[in-house]
Amino acid sequence: MLSIQEQIKSELKKQNAILVAHYYVSPELQTLAEETGGIVSDSLEMARFGKNSKAQTIVVAGVKFMGETAKILSPEKTILVLDTSATCSLDEDCPIKEFSEFCDQHPDRVVVVYANTSAAVKARADWVVTSGSALSVVKHLKDQGKKILWAPDKHLGNYVQSQTNADMLLWQGSCVVHERFKADAIIALKQKYSNAAVLVHPESPKEVVDLADVVGSTTALINAVKDRDEQEFIIATDNGIFHKMREVAPGKKLIEAPTMGEGADCESCAHCEWMAMNNLDNCLDTLKNKNNEIIIDSSINQEAQNSIQKLLDFTS
Ligand code: 13P
Ligand code: SF4
């Protein structure tokens, strides 16, 4: 009897499919993606890789918006996700009807949305950005004298605003994982590990971002662990990222930023419940039964593609 990994490998081959995984999914899925010619990456690179791949089917281990982004960029390919209910609080916090009305009220602003949104919201936007590209795109728009309507993440929006001084009107969404990091608990941890560098994903609240030595996308945080001289790191992002960090910097000490403190409901719950829905069992099941296919209305797909293509052209 073949192991589940061997069965997935054989299905991927048989179906000319590749597995594209986010850094937050389980180590088993990350390893499998890499062993089979796929990729483990941040949301921007996942999208780019799927588009450039010759595979006919792309299996996305991540959350729904990542599957939709793959479909938007490769409408002719079959895009499968492992669980269609694996969503994202930012996506859920930004329903298209209310968002569209908000945009209509501010026709003088360029609409910039984070990749963590539905296909319909991307279609309504002028630009799509990721955490790895938001700063440079907003700076570019500011330099052109543009005012910005930003959605959905208020924390990332605040951070970008503080770094660029752009005129930004913010939608008030947030990430349920990053929002739980607590500044007071990180300060206490810093007393114990005084030589540690603090690495923070910009979906975190301002008080946490203010403590950071590095603020950046998942890829930027992994590179910081690899390249910086410190031997200890306090990390405020989903703990799924530790797998890749241990791989690229084996000897270094990685400390989970606590989510305890006033208002927190657990000591450390830094793992996205939707990312955790991805596993080897539903990966094999999805491939065998070709279920969980992402389908997007073609007119929405075309408009959303225009907004993402601007980002790909800008970052290439
Ligand atoms: P990255 O684009 O940095 O991978 O972030 C995606 C995400 O969902 C972070 O919570
Ligand atoms: Fe969305 Fe947050 Fe989960 Fe990332 S970690 S997918 S932003 S809920």
Side-chain angles (χ1 to χ4, degrees), residues 33-307:
E34 287 179 337
E35 283 179 1
T36 51
I39 195 177
V40 182
S41 194
D42 63 9
S43 53
L44 176 61
E45 277 316 306
M46 284 172 78
R48 222 195 291 268
F49 187 87
K51 180 177 156 65
N52 295 337
S53 161
K54 290 200 169 55
Q56 175 47 35
T57 297
I58 301 168
V59 183
V60 177
V63 293
K64 192 178 69 184
F65 80 80
M66 294 172 177
E68 288 187 345
T69 303
K71 184 69 183 175
I72 291 164
L73 289 173
S74 309
E76 72 296 347
K77 294 182 186 170
T78 302
I79 311 296
L80 305 175
V81 292
L82 307 194
D83 187 328
T84 48
S85 54
T87 183
C88 165
S89 62
L90 289 167
D91 186 352
E92 297 299 309
D93 279 354
C94 192
I96 181 58
K97 186 169 173 295
E98 286 82 347
F99 179 65
S100 202
E101 285 165 6
F102 186 55
C103 296
D104 290 345
Q105 286 158 16
H106 302 282
D108 55 328
R109 290 179 179 268
V110 178
V111 178
V112 180
V113 302
Y114 193 29
N116 303 36
T117 45
S118 65
V121 166
K122 289 184 175 77
R124 182 65 181 77
D126 299 302
W127 281 80
V128 172
V129 298
T130 60
S131 57
S133 56
L135 272 181
S136 47
V137 169
V138 168
K139 189 172 177 317
H140 164 77
L141 293 171
K142 186 197 171 229
D143 289 346
Q144 293 181 336
K146 302 275 200 303
K147 293 199 292 182
I148 289 156
L149 184 156
W150 168 272
D153 188 2
K154 61 180 177 186
H155 296 304
L156 179 58
N158 261 320
Y159 171 68
V160 173
Q161 205 284 325
S162 71
Q163 298 298 302
T164 59
N165 257 325
D167 180 339
M168 293 172 73
L169 183 64
L170 308 184
W171 186 264
Q172 295 295 306
S174 61
C175 162
V176 290
V177 178
H178 291 84
E179 197 161 58
R180 291 187 189 129
F181 291 116
K182 296 284 183 239
D184 51 359
I186 296 176
I187 292 167
L189 205 54
K190 268 291 279 182
Q191 279 162 7
K192 190 167 167 201
Y193 299 100
S194 53
N195 294 324
V198 178
L199 311 183
V200 175
H201 194 283
E203 289 169 12
S204 308
K206 179 179 182 317
E207 314 78 69
V208 173
V209 168
D210 285 346
L211 298 171
D213 296 295
V214 178
V215 182
S217 69
T218 46
T219 301
L221 301 186
I222 290 166
N223 288 338
V225 167
K226 179 161 62 79
D227 298 335
R228 286 179 69 101
D229 291 336
E230 291 92 345
Q231 294 302 305
E232 295 173 340
F233 295 88
I234 297 169
I235 296 154
T237 194
D238 184 293
N239 59 24
I241 204 169
F242 281 40
H243 175 63
K244 181 55 76 186
M245 286 178 169
R246 285 192 193 103
E247 209 174 273
V248 299
K252 297 194 177 175
K253 185 172 178 65
L254 310 178
I255 305 149
E256 219 175 273
T259 49
M260 63 183 179
E262 218 183 320
D265 50 10
C266 51
E267 186 167 308
S268 186
C269 36
H271 190 43
C272 177
E273 61 184 292
W274 296 297
M275 289 285 182
M277 287 177 171
N278 295 271
N279 55 53
L280 292 176
D281 289 330
N282 56 16
C283 184
L284 181 60
D285 193 58
T286 297
L287 270 163
K288 273 189 164 164
N289 299 312
K290 297 190 188 53
N291 46 14
N292 304 336
E293 181 172 355
I294 298 282
I295 309 282
I296 299 173
D297 175 272
S298 60
S299 64
I300 289 182
N301 208 97
Q302 186 54 58
E303 287 183 52
Q305 195 179 94
N306 297 341
S307 319

